[in-house]
Amino acid sequence: MGEIGEQLVTSIASKLDNDVLSALDNASLIYPVISVTPNDVNNALVKLGEDFDGEKYLFVSPATYAVLRDAKEWVPASEVAAQIVLRGVVGMIYGCYVVVTNKITTTDTAYIVKPGAVALFMKRGTQVESDRNIINKSTTFTADKHYAAYLYDSSKVVKLGAATLTDLELVQTSDIENGKATFRIAGYPTNLSYGWKAYYAQNLTTAVSVAVGDTFDNSTNGTHKAFTVEFEQGVALSATNAKYSQVLYVDATGKIRASGDVAAVTTLA
């Protein structure tokens, strides 16, 4: 086939890789992240539910790989080599074989994939052809492959994807008495992931503007200095009529992930 033919076949294989990743991007199981961390991988595995056990592969960018291999949970490839069945595996973390791919270019994207998640419908394998022009003394090479890559079983893939700020539904549930009232957050505490904390601020003229991924700082001179109290559902917290009460969710790495606020009233309607 020659060097040119081999280059064309390599190009086709690269296109196939892109199409497989595009198929994975259609995953219905999503775990939002700011930047993929070992803790995120561990938590994302819960999305697999009863299908948690068994062979799993984690596809990551080179930058994410650098973060994962520094974790105490990291197992280098040399210690799992006997079990490796996919070329390119560089190690293991939380039971996932880790595969580094340049096709993923950001640290806020990764895929946990179980065998059988993606299927390829092959109509025809790679075919390389050549045609000689005897007048111009040139040879034209072409290569093609007829296939379709699609997400065959969405229950076998979890996408760790860029997070957006979650809007919390904060509701006042009691009248203000002695300067305090109770509040409720829809879904709390089940929507508070492992290692996350909820912080409360009261008597705000306006709600504090935050963005997903902001570093939470409630120190004396910090941006979020008003959020000194940990929120607990049903516990009476300080409140002032016509002033805002606000709750922030902060993840285990100290990044803001959710926010909700409500203007307090003396007497509920």
Side-chain angles (χ1 to χ4, degrees), residues 34 100 104 124 132 147 170 217 238 246 250 267:
I34 305 300
V100 180
I104 301 176
R124 192 187 71 199
R132 178 70 176 171
Y147 69 91
L170 182 63
D217 181 5
S238 296
Q246 185 175 1
V250 180
T267 305

Side-chain angles (χ1 to χ4, degrees), residues 230-252:
E230 284 197 39
F231 176 81
E232 290 185 54
Q233 195 121 293
V235 174
L237 299 166
S238 296
T240 302
N241 183 58
K243 295 290 187 178
Y244 280 88
S245 294
Q246 185 175 1
V247 173
L248 299 179
Y249 278 7
V250 180
D251 69 19

Side-chain angles (χ1 to χ4, degrees), residues 10-159:
T10 299
S11 177
I12 291 290
S14 178
K15 173 65 166 59
L16 178 59
D17 287 346
N18 287 334
D19 289 343
V20 169
L21 283 177
S22 293
L24 292 176
D25 212 41
N26 293 320
S28 57
L29 300 178
I30 310 293
Y31 184 83
V33 299
I34 305 300
S35 184
V36 179
T37 66
N39 190 54
D40 287 325
V41 174
N42 187 30
N43 288 335
L45 285 168
V46 177
K47 292 282 187 178
L48 292 172
E50 295 180 351
D51 204 24
F52 175 87
D53 292 327
E55 194 175 310
K56 299 176 289 290
Y57 294 89
L58 174 64
F59 293 86
V60 301
S61 68
T64 297
Y65 165 54
V67 172
L68 297 181
R69 69 181 179 183
D70 283 339
K72 65 180 184 300
E73 298 85 3
W74 178 258
V75 181
S78 59
E79 297 182 22
V80 295
Q83 308 169 51
I84 292 176
V85 295
L86 183 68
R87 187 177 63 181
V89 169
V90 294
M92 175 182 281
I93 191 165
Y94 288 115
C96 297
Y97 295 114
V98 179
V99 179
V100 180
T101 171
N102 289 330
K103 306 295 183 182
I104 301 176
T105 58
T106 64
T107 59
D108 62 7
T109 302
Y111 303 91
I112 298 173
V113 183
K114 300 201 71 176
V118 177
L120 287 176
F121 174 72
M122 302 293 296
K123 185 175 181 180
R124 192 187 71 199
T126 304
Q127 180 175 314
V128 179
E129 299 177 280
S130 63
D131 183 63
R132 178 70 176 171
N133 187 318
I134 61 173
I135 296 177
N136 295 331
K137 304 298 183 182
S138 63
T139 303
T140 301
F141 289 86
T142 64
D144 59 18
K145 185 173 192 172
H146 295 179
Y147 69 91
Y150 61 98
L151 188 60
Y152 179 73
D153 188 344
S154 60
S155 71
K156 295 182 181 296
V157 55
V158 179
K159 177 184 177 182

